[in-house]
Amino acid sequence: MHSYSLTAPAKINLYLEIIGDRPDGFHELVMILQSIELADRLDIQPSDTQNIYVYCEHPQVPTDETNLAYRAARLMCDVFGDAYANYGGVSIRIEKNIPVAAGLAGGSSNAAAVLVGIDLMWKLGLTQPELQDLAAKLGSDIPFCLAGGTAIATGRGEKLAPIEDLDNIWLVLAKHDNISVSTPWAYQTYRQQYSDSYVRDVTSINNRNAQVHSSPLVKAIAHKNKVEIGKLIRNDLEKVVLPRYPQVAALKSAFATQDILGTMMSGSGPTVFALCESEAKAIATRRQVKNQLQDPHLNFWVTKLATSGIQILATN
Ligand code: C5P
């Protein structure tokens, strides 16, 4: 049996609109999701026992069943019982480069890589829709992380419509290591404050989805109009997260004073990104904002938009 090394990229939300409540307790969303080059590396190999092992040196990454990568392996063992009985357990080593609990889908992307790695290792020959169905059982962002690129996500976030891939835009990410935002808290607080404006019937939900498909932002993406993209990005969760975490609001304001295309919080935060025309502008923006805020808890990354999700780095 072979072992696989995979790259698992992070994502940002170029657009996150909360449309309403769902019967399953989640929110009905329309998002535009975008892969970025900042990525973890996962090495997936057979373990000598029937157990699943997760190894990661990052102190904030759990190695037990609370890790989404572990849960992805567990799901594969449960669904493909014959292969599991035949081949035994799985050992997963994670090299963590994506900031943890950041709104960048790092854990989701790791889980997506585990699904792909085990599919290859056990020669299951799963199709992309089959992998996406498994991914959706684990979390709303995970189906997107499989194929990556640029996509409109609806429903819980698991229904995907790929659109023109974007690249050639640089970005600076910044995250406070002393702030963590609970995603359930962010959505619940949004519900408490804004459920009056929620759309409730299927026709209205479909209309909102259709409007986003033909929206100025999707057109700007199709035309690779970076300036328009920067102006049109949106994240509804900012409305609850920024007032509760003034440092995150201050970080966004600091980015907004720079020569950038646009700035926005990603997912439920606390990461804020700034889209930049070039690598040089991204590096200059990082330097200026770092100097302006002088916060030892603030970490920065310069990276680029990417056109793909999980990729195989090596087979052994
Ligand atoms: O699916 P995932 O594990 O990423 O979701 C984390 C939390 O975010 C959920 O438990 C829920 O509170 C909230 N959420 C939501 N509606 C969505 C996606 C996430 O309310 N569409």
Side-chain angles (χ1 to χ4, degrees):
M1 207 180 342
H2 291 299
S3 302
Y4 291 86
S5 299
L6 301 126
T7 172
K11 67 99 183 97
I12 55 169
N13 298 73
L14 294 176
Y15 189 88
L16 190 163
E17 180 183 350
I18 300 176
I19 321 188
D21 270 324
R22 291 167 55 88
D24 60 10
F26 279 66
H27 283 85
E28 197 67 39
L29 306 175
V30 197
M31 299 187 283
I32 300 178
L33 301 176
Q34 172 66 55
S35 300
I36 62 176
E37 284 190 351
L38 181 65
D40 293 338
R41 176 197 166 112
L42 278 86
D43 296 311
I44 296 170
Q45 56 189 69
S47 78
D48 298 335
T49 67
Q50 290 300 112
N51 294 341
I52 297 163
Y53 299 102
V54 174
Y55 304 97
C56 183
E57 283 175 8
H58 192 295
Q60 279 170 273
V61 175
T63 53
D64 60 10
E65 67 284 351
T66 59
N67 188 314
L68 267 176
Y70 184 105
R71 280 163 46 200
R74 182 81 266 156
L75 178 69
M76 293 299 270
C77 295
D78 291 346
V79 174
F80 302 101
D82 289 347
Y84 173 48
N86 219 3
Y87 298 124
V90 181
S91 161
I92 302 159
R93 188 171 295 280
I94 304 171
E95 184 191 294
K96 212 10 103 188
N97 304 311
I98 303 171
V100 177
L104 297 171
S108 295
S109 192
N110 292 176
V114 169
L115 297 179
V116 172
I118 295 179
D119 172 47
L120 292 167
M121 202 166 73
W122 290 354
K123 296 188 171 53
L124 297 170
L126 297 176
T127 62
Q128 196 65 15
E130 285 169 336
L131 282 168
Q132 286 190 352
D133 281 350
L134 290 165
K137 291 188 203 312
L138 294 162
S140 313
D141 282 344
I142 305 178
F144 169 77
C145 294
L146 288 166
T150 311
I152 300 178
T154 54
R156 252 169 67 210
E158 86 290 10
K159 286 189 212 142
L160 299 172
I163 51 175
E164 196 78 20
D165 274 338
L166 267 182
D167 56 1
N168 207 24
I169 296 180
W170 286 82
L171 68 160
V172 187
L173 302 169
K175 177 184 172 283
H176 292 88
D177 62 19
N178 56 345
I179 298 177
S180 79
V181 182
S182 151
T183 304
W185 168 84
Y187 279 102
Q188 273 161 30
T189 308
Y190 192 92
R191 183 184 283 127
Q192 281 159 15
Q193 294 182 12
Y194 297 101
S195 64
D196 287 354
S197 63
Y198 280 9
V199 158
R200 293 178 203 281
D201 59 295
V202 177
T203 314
S204 308
I205 290 171
N206 290 342
N207 286 345
R208 278 308 299 134
N209 289 346
Q211 277 167 25
V212 173
H213 274 81
S214 57
S215 66
L217 177 54
V218 171
K219 288 194 180 112
I221 291 171
H223 294 126
K224 303 208 186 297
N225 185 335
K226 298 182 193 179
V227 173
E228 280 300 301
I229 293 167
K231 284 187 199 151
L232 294 167
I233 52 180
R234 161 174 168 179
N235 181 351
D236 281 349
L237 289 174
E238 283 193 342
K239 290 193 244 170
V240 292
V241 177
L242 297 189
R244 169 69 183 75
Y245 297 95
Q247 294 114 300
V248 181
L251 171 59
K252 190 181 170 193
S253 302
F255 273 136
T257 62
Q258 302 300 311
D259 179 17
I260 60 167
L261 298 165
T263 175
M264 186 70 44
M265 187 180 80
S266 185
S268 56
T271 303
V272 177
F273 64 84
L275 300 178
C276 300
E277 194 107 39
S278 64
E279 184 177 17
K281 285 203 174 161
I283 291 169
T285 299
R286 175 179 58 185
R287 190 181 53 243
Q288 307 259 31
V289 170
K290 204 172 175 179
N291 287 343
Q292 197 178 322
L293 295 175
Q294 300 273 340
D295 184 341
H297 287 291
L298 196 51
N299 298 301
F300 292 84
W301 296 260
V302 168
T303 183
K304 218 179 158 198
L305 302 191
T307 55
S308 61
I310 307 303
Q311 290 202 297
I312 304 168
L313 283 172
T315 309
N316 298 303

